[in-house]
Amino acid sequence: MLGQVRGGVWGSGGGSYAGGVRNVGAAALDAACVLVFVTIGRASHEEAASLPGIASTAWPFLAGLAVGWLVTRAWRRPEALLPAGVGVWVSTVAVGMVLRVVAGQGTAVSFIVVASLFTALFLLGWRGVATVVRGPARA
């Protein structure tokens, strides 16, 4: 996968450097959104803002994010609301919650609702802003 260039993970549009940078930037922005969600959530419950605590809470959602990127092949159009944005969001929440259950972490209904809304706002929000700023995609 790391060796893919033409139309692959590191370069949409014929293997361009700019496409690769766009993909890495979009993936980093998605990961940052998840980390902001985790950090705010931990702070609102007065849990320690320690690196191990954040990592313990974040890893299921970051894994879900990665699955979403792979399933939707988000590297093709990472800023698109469909399929990338919605697919990445749904995968982040769904896979994240399943992994939390497997790891013995909580999945109260209220947490699922808050996690779904917050991650939707952030993972879809930056894509919506990008669409408005850039203008509609050309087919």
Side-chain angles (χ1 to χ4, degrees):
M1 181 186 273
L2 291 177
Q4 291 182 354
V5 176
R6 187 170 193 83
V9 174
W10 296 107
S12 57
S16 71
Y17 176 77
V21 170
R22 182 186 71 181
N23 292 334
V24 171
L29 187 54
D30 279 348
C33 290
V34 169
L35 293 172
V36 167
F37 157 66
V38 167
T39 303
I40 290 173
R42 289 184 61 83
S44 72
H45 293 286
E46 298 178 10
E47 295 176 342
S50 67
L51 189 56
I54 291 170
S56 173
T57 305
W59 77 263
F61 296 106
L62 292 172
L65 180 74
V67 168
W69 266 73
L70 291 172
V71 168
T72 64
R73 300 191 308 183
W75 57 85
R76 290 181 169 203
R77 286 187 50 226
E79 72 288 347
L81 282 170
L82 284 171
V86 172
V88 165
W89 165 58
V90 168
S91 178
T92 298
V93 175
V95 173
M97 292 301 171
V98 168
L99 291 175
R100 282 181 62 86
V101 168
V102 170
Q105 299 179 16
T107 55
V109 172
S110 60
F111 176 67
I112 295 170
V113 170
V114 169
S116 297
L117 294 175
F118 188 99
T119 55
L121 177 65
F122 277 69
L123 294 173
L124 301 177
W126 77 257
R127 288 174 168 89
V129 170
T131 299
V132 169
V133 169
R134 186 192 71 245
R138 292 162 187 64

